[in-house]
């Protein structure tokens, strides 16, 4: 997940959960009441303010070792914080979907249902098309563009 944090001066800081250490991830889990990392990722996708704040807090603790989670806040969080998925996460989601759908022979239909959601969550919506191309499913992108015309 990529957390975009708009600073007071308007600059945008990108924080990737891929850059967290295992200890930092564990600290986020603890700060979130013992939630497992998969749950935190799901909450990030839902733009949960506590999960978003926890990730930024973990990065801020690198410079401020004694920064307590309960004391850390982000005023205006709704306009300043956004969680988006990376291309690797898009590829993982599509690969997992294809593996499950192969047995039902409905992979194209299921991918068609998932791609609008992936585009909404993607840090770069073009990554969805690139991931589809990489999986040999680029025809789904062209099909959607043809039907929209």
């Amino acid at each position: 997940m990529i957390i975009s944090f708009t600073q007071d001066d308007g600059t945008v800081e990108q924080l990737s959960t891929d850059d967290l250490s295992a200890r930092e991830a564990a600290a986020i889990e603890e700060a979130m009441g013992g939630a497992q990392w998969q749950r935190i990722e799901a909450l990030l996708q839902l733009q949960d303010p506590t999960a978003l704040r926890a990730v930024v807090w973990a990065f801020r603790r690198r410079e401020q070792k004694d920064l307590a989670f309960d004391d850390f806040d982000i005023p205006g969080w709704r306009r300043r914080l956004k969680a988006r998925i990376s291309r690797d996460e898009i590829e993982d989601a599509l690969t997992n979907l294809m593996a499950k759908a192969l047995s039902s022979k409905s992979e194209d239909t299921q991918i068609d249902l998932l791609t609008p959601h992936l585009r909404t969550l993607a840090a770069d919506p073009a990554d969805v098309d690139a991931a589809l191309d990489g999986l040999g499913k680029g025809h789904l992108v062209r099909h959607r563009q043809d039907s929209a015309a």
Side-chain angles (χ1 to χ4, degrees):
M1 299 289 298
I2 299 168
I3 311 304
S4 298
F5 178 26
T6 303
Q7 303 293 327
D8 292 334
D9 65 2
T11 59
V12 178
E13 180 181 9
Q14 301 275 327
L15 306 169
S16 174
T17 57
D18 288 345
D19 295 334
L20 291 169
S21 72
R23 285 185 176 178
E24 289 168 330
I28 291 170
E29 289 175 335
E30 184 177 327
M32 299 267 313
Q36 292 183 341
W37 189 253
Q38 287 179 316
R39 175 76 176 133
I40 293 167
E41 285 183 325
L43 289 169
L44 288 170
Q45 287 184 21
L46 294 170
Q47 308 303 311
D48 178 81
T50 305
L52 291 164
R53 181 172 62 102
V55 172
V56 177
W57 166 76
F59 279 96
R60 294 298 178 264
R61 282 187 44 186
R62 291 177 177 178
E63 285 82 37
Q64 298 174 266
K65 302 286 185 209
D66 60 343
L67 182 61
F69 182 66
D70 289 338
D71 296 335
F72 181 71
D73 196 12
I74 302 172
W77 72 271
R78 190 178 297 271
R79 72 177 182 282
R80 297 178 73 188
L81 295 175
K82 287 199 184 338
R84 296 291 181 245
I85 56 177
S86 67
R87 179 160 175 190
D88 288 341
E89 291 166 317
I90 293 166
E91 289 173 353
D92 287 347
L94 289 170
T95 300
N96 290 338
L97 178 69
M98 283 182 58
K100 290 178 185 175
L102 281 175
S103 61
S104 66
K105 297 182 181 176
S106 64
E107 63 189 59
D108 285 2
T109 301
Q110 290 188 31
I111 289 171
D112 266 342
L113 293 173
L114 181 63
T115 52
H117 178 67
L118 292 176
R119 285 183 207 290
T120 299
L121 288 175
D124 182 355
D127 285 344
V128 177
D129 296 344
L132 286 168
D133 283 336
L135 290 170
K137 294 294 180 178
H139 64 281
L140 295 175
V141 175
R142 287 184 287 283
H143 173 71
R144 185 173 15 287
Q145 291 170 345
D146 292 344
S147 63

